[in-house]
Amino acid sequence: MTTAEPTRDDDLAPARIAVIGLAGRFPGAADLDRYWTNLRDGVESIVPIGDDELRAAGVGAEQLADPYYVRMAPKFAGIAEFDAEFFGCSPREAAAMDPQHRIFLELAWAALEDAGYGEPGRIDGTVGVFGGASTTAYLDNITANLDRGAAIRGENVGLGFELAFLASRVSYKLDLRGPSLPVQTACSTALVAVHTAAQSLLNYECDVAVCGAVAYKVPDGVGYRYQEGSFLSPDGHVRPFDAEARGTVFGNGAGTVVLKRLEDALADGDTVHAVILGSAVNNDGAGKASFTAPTVSGQAAVVAEALTAAEVDPEDIDYVEAHGTGTIVGDAIEAQALNRAFEGRGSCALGSVKGNVGHLDAAAGMAGLIKTILALRHETLPATLNHTAPNPEIDFAGGPFRVVAERTPWPRDPQRPRRAGVSAFGFGGTNAHVIVEEAPAAEERSTSDTSAPAVLTVSARTAEALDAATDRLAEHLDQQRPDLADTAHTLALGRCAFGHRRAVVVTEPTTAADSLRTRDPATTVTGTSDSPDVVFLFTGQGSQHVGMGHDLYQTEPVYRDTVDHCAE
């Protein structure tokens, strides 16, 4: 696959984009397995914050005594754990980086690993990066380091926090040669980045795209002051489309996806998590009450444009993951816009992740998009939390939408693929909507021989990281029970090989996790290597016997080809 002109007939092959990799870090969830578990189980990750914790975070006595100070926040962990050495960053460079830049770099790597491209240099074609972030809140921390005499040159301060360098730092650190563009449209940033990346792929400007957004404000895990009439919640709970909705809660989070043209992803054997059928971006313009006010016409238009781009009708959509901020005016306008765009549609499910994790600013759309992709995968629509009675300002009776107030099955339909729309609307009026479809059914293939041994390889930069990676793999095998041959293939070819290495020979899926955990020396080899060579070695010395290479010849193509070459 290269950036050569396509040979297909575009009129006969609609433009489709495959989502082949996912990574995310959200309130209450350090990874996407936990994120889905929280969504499935209806966990609200906006939690109470104790006074002692608030004092430790720098909240003063005057704020704590304020009756309007809300002691609730979406908790987001992990910014102090950036592995600077892993990405070739010096301690001084890391100290001068906004946490948003660090998190986006980590999740870009994680999403590429999830896509099976843990060594980006192996990707056949150019890779673009499209990333967005919130306005930095970390500059004071960086300048404080300067004030303490840290050896950070002044010109490096801007490199560490300017949005202009968010995507290009990923391109530099991972040696990615495609377009590298920053995006910032406030609350719609993440979906605008997805739309921009998809257009770049469809224009053959790149072959793979890493895109997403991050939001991180400091200090994290503190409350806020509620003011009557503002868009903030008076009690720290977000109630999308609910009669008791009074406002939203802002929090920190980040997500990235890896995109590829669907035809290329299928040809290359990539795992397809979902398909982006089409997307659209517009702006409300001047016809609204204020610069930050939303409009029915702008939101309805962007949904209609996305449906047109996807070549589907409203009747083809099962679910809409709404912007759903839990504000009285915002929810009513969004519902009115959806009713207009879906006029005549029979019934459609509606939900919003903000009841779970709050409003994640620039990353809000990524929280909704990844939620929708996971819901398609697990055939389940999670509940929209804190929704007990419909907002009386919304005409649910006269429109097609019903809020998913309880976890609901979303089974596959033999008649047509399951589809969803995802919305994000930014302060200032930039609106985005993405149409997502379930992944195409995987081709039937012969099941691997479960009795054949598989070699699971793990590597890391340090011995401690190697042990942690081995334990994570064991946990994954326990929970997911994947095919061992597929797992061995991905670990061997879809991961970067670092100096500290471990190989474990396993024969049974049910005992593979135990083999990894115990590090049994009979089946496990651990060591280090900078430039390894893999060979098959038969020592002789009387240990050989007739047919001793037969099974290896039957199961290992490299060995078989080499023996055939020698025999010739």
Side-chain angles (χ1 to χ4, degrees), residues 197-215:
Q199 294 303 306
S200 184
L201 286 164
L202 295 175
N203 289 331
Y204 286 78
E205 297 167 349
C206 60
D207 301 296
V208 176
V210 182
C211 58
V214 55

Side-chain angles (χ1 to χ4, degrees), residues 26 28-29 34 56 120 128 154 160 182 238 246 333 353 365 408-409 411 430 466 524 543 558:
F26 300 106
R34 174 54 58 185
V238 183
R246 294 294 181 272
I333 287 178
V353 75
T408 304
T430 297
L466 180 64
T524 304
S543 62
V558 173

Side-chain angles (χ1 to χ4, degrees), residues 63-400:
Q63 288 176 284
L64 293 176
D66 187 337
Y68 292 100
Y69 189 80
V70 181
R71 294 164 166 79
M72 297 280 286
K75 295 295 290 291
F76 182 85
I79 72 145
E81 300 169 1
F82 178 65
D83 189 346
E85 184 180 356
F86 181 89
F87 291 105
C89 297
S90 69
R92 286 181 295 175
E93 182 184 2
M97 288 171 63
D98 185 323
Q100 296 184 120
H101 289 239
R102 302 180 212 155
I103 293 166
F104 189 72
L105 178 58
E106 290 173 322
L107 291 185
W109 176 276
L112 284 167
E113 272 205 335
D114 185 70
Y117 295 110
E119 193 166 353
R122 288 185 177 179
I123 298 176
D124 183 14
T126 57
V127 183
V129 182
F130 305 82
S134 297
T135 303
T136 186
Y138 201 71
L139 183 57
D140 287 346
N141 299 65
I142 295 174
T143 55
N145 284 331
L146 290 173
D147 293 340
R148 287 194 293 266
I152 303 172
R153 290 166 51 181
E155 60 266 31
N156 289 334
V157 173
L159 295 177
F161 76 87
E162 287 284 0
L163 176 64
F165 308 117
L166 180 79
S168 54
R169 174 174 279 106
V170 172
S171 298
Y172 170 66
K173 292 294 184 181
L174 305 187
D175 191 24
L176 309 179
R177 307 299 180 93
S180 191
L181 306 179
V183 179
Q184 172 52 277
T185 60
C187 319
S188 58
T189 294
L191 292 194
V192 173
V194 170
H195 172 79
T196 306
Q199 294 303 306
S200 184
L201 286 164
L202 295 175
N203 289 331
Y204 286 78
E205 297 167 349
C206 60
D207 301 296
V208 176
V210 182
C211 58
V214 55
Y216 188 85
K217 301 289 188 183
V218 289
D220 179 49
V222 298
Y224 57 91
R225 189 180 191 278
Y226 169 72
Q227 185 174 350
E228 187 68 34
S230 74
F231 49 76
L232 293 175
S233 169
D235 61 1
H237 297 286
V238 183
R239 299 175 173 85
F241 305 106
D242 190 73
E244 298 300 317
R246 294 294 181 272
T248 199
V249 176
F250 284 94
N252 296 326
T256 52
V257 295
V258 179
L259 307 181
K260 201 175 193 180
R261 291 180 291 272
L262 177 60
E263 57 185 346
D264 293 338
L266 295 176
D268 294 341
D270 295 313
T271 295
V272 178
H273 299 287
V275 177
I276 294 175
L277 298 181
S279 59
V281 171
N282 73 2
N283 193 275
D284 291 328
K288 53 185 181 177
S290 69
F291 175 64
T292 60
T295 69
V296 173
S297 58
Q299 293 182 12
V302 81
V303 174
E305 290 164 11
L307 289 167
T308 299
E311 300 181 359
V312 296
D313 296 321
E315 291 79 8
D316 299 317
I317 305 299
D318 303 313
Y319 172 73
V320 171
E321 173 64 22
H323 194 52
T325 58
T327 58
I328 299 173
V329 175
D331 283 2
I333 287 178
E334 181 171 10
Q336 188 178 345
L338 285 169
N339 284 346
R340 181 182 296 183
F342 278 65
E343 187 175 2
R345 169 71 156 89
S347 178
C348 187
L350 180 69
S352 171
V353 75
K354 290 180 178 62
N356 301 82
V357 298
H359 190 329
L360 304 187
D361 197 8
M366 196 53 59
L369 177 64
I370 290 177
K371 169 193 169 180
T372 304
I373 293 171
L374 295 177
L376 284 166
R377 178 194 298 174
H378 294 281
E379 302 186 14
T380 301
L381 289 172
T384 297
L385 296 192
N386 304 319
H387 182 89
T388 56
N391 183 336
E393 300 298 319
I394 298 174
D395 183 17
F396 282 115

Side-chain angles (χ1 to χ4, degrees), residues 24-66:
R25 207 179 298 169
F26 300 106
D31 55 44
L32 295 187
D33 285 341
R34 174 54 58 185
Y35 185 51
W36 173 251
T37 299
N38 289 347
L39 294 173
R40 181 197 64 198
D41 296 343
V43 174
E44 185 175 10
S45 297
I46 305 171
V47 297
I49 311 296
D51 284 0
D52 290 343
E53 192 174 351
L54 290 170
R55 291 188 189 96
V59 178
E62 183 177 349
Q63 288 176 284
L64 293 176
D66 187 337

